[in-house]
């Protein structure tokens, strides 16, 4: 506990450092609820920067995993304020995936699920895959509605983001979407899903 107190005032700097990130992650694992609250207060205003940092994103992910819902309030609020930008970011998408697993509102999940640009995005597709696996039924329903008209394009097109969109479609199919399964079968047979 004494070491944890000595870290205060340096949390953002250490979190974004190659070696410091490991120290902060360990501190988060062994510290108390009160220190988690202190951690959240200290990083407020830096959460998006940390989430998009090579090392800092691991600290935010660990915080989301080990802290209570009460301690996460300010951090989650800041993440939601930059949701789409982080969802399409190389490191930020990992943080948003942990957010989906540990502390996301249905409103936030539906907001992500309705973003067609994430389907074809290099990093955004990871977020939609996480939603397909662990998101709410409402979020998966919105994803199906979004992807259904695109099934033929996903299966037939030579779009640069096709591989990413295929992964999202596969996750939704694994989650048990009969509507998409029928559309995919029709698309394989050469029919546009809008004609089914």
């Amino acid at each position: 506990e004494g070491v944890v107190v000595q870290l205060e005032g340096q949390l953002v700097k250490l979190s974004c450092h190659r070696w410091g990130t490991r120290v902060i992650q360990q501190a988060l694992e062994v510290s108390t609820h009160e220190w988690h609250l202190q951690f959240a207060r200290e990083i407020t205003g830096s959460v998006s920067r940390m989430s998009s940092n090579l090392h800092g994103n691991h600290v935010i992910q660990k915080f989301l995993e080990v802290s209570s819902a009460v301690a996460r309030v300010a951090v989650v609020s800041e993440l939601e304020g930059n949701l789409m930008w982080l969802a399409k970011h190389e490191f930020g998408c990992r943080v948003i995936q942990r957010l989906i697993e540990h502390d996301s509102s249905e409103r936030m999940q539906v907001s992500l699920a309705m973003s067609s640009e994430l389907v074809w995005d290099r990093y955004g597709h990871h977020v939609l895959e996480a939603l397909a696996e662990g998101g709410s039924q409402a979020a998966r329903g919105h994803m199906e509605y979004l992807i259904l008209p695109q099934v033929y394009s996903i299966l037939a097109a030579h779009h640069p983001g096709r591989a990413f969109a295929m992964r999202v479609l596969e996750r939704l199919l694994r989650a048990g979407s009969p509507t998409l399964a029928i559309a995919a079968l029709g698309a394989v047979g050469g029919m546009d899903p809008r004609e089914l």
Side-chain angles (χ1 to χ4, degrees):
E1 192 67 35
V3 173
V4 170
V5 172
Q6 292 176 356
L7 297 173
E8 292 175 3
Q10 305 175 66
L11 296 175
V12 174
K13 181 180 175 184
L14 287 170
S15 294
C16 295
H17 185 270
R18 163 171 126 174
W19 303 114
T21 185
R22 295 180 188 273
V23 172
I24 301 300
Q25 288 175 65
Q26 285 292 330
L28 285 167
E29 283 188 7
V30 301
S31 59
T32 64
H33 172 72
E34 288 74 29
W35 194 75
H36 288 165
L37 291 170
Q38 171 58 32
F39 177 84
R41 280 190 293 273
E42 188 169 324
I43 68 168
T44 297
S46 301
V47 174
S48 292
R49 182 168 58 93
M50 291 170 66
S51 296
S52 62
N53 179 273
L54 173 64
H55 306 295
N57 83 86
H58 296 287
V59 172
I60 300 297
Q61 288 182 66
K62 180 60 71 178
F63 180 75
L64 292 171
E65 291 170 13
V66 301
S67 63
S68 69
V70 171
R72 289 191 294 256
V73 170
V75 171
V76 169
S77 177
E78 196 169 330
L79 289 171
E80 286 181 339
N82 293 298
L83 195 60
M84 289 304 163
W85 180 76
L86 288 169
K88 295 187 291 183
H89 189 275
E90 179 180 11
F91 307 122
C93 72
R94 299 173 189 177
V95 172
I96 301 303
Q97 289 174 70
R98 293 303 84 68
L99 182 62
I100 290 166
E101 292 170 10
H102 299 285
D103 194 342
S104 63
S105 67
E106 188 164 308
R107 178 184 53 78
M108 186 210 69
Q109 288 186 18
V110 168
S111 175
L112 286 167
M114 293 174 64
S115 175
S116 60
E117 61 191 272
L118 294 180
V119 174
W120 303 90
D121 188 75
R122 180 178 184 178
Y123 302 111
H125 76 92
H126 294 295
V127 171
L128 292 182
E129 288 177 50
L131 272 177
E133 289 181 347
S136 69
Q137 187 62 40
R140 284 196 300 275
H142 282 285
M143 286 175 65
E144 289 176 16
Y145 181 77
L146 174 77
I147 289 180
L148 188 60
Q150 299 182 58
V151 169
Y152 185 79
S153 297
I154 292 169
L155 295 173
H158 296 287
H159 188 283
R162 180 180 179 266
F164 310 134
M166 278 293 296
R167 290 180 185 162
V168 174
L169 178 59
E170 287 171 10
R171 295 293 162 107
L172 281 169
L173 289 170
R174 281 190 207 144
S177 171
T179 306
L180 282 179
I182 292 167
L185 287 172
V188 169
M191 292 183 68
D192 188 316
R194 292 170 285 210
E195 298 171 7
L196 295 174

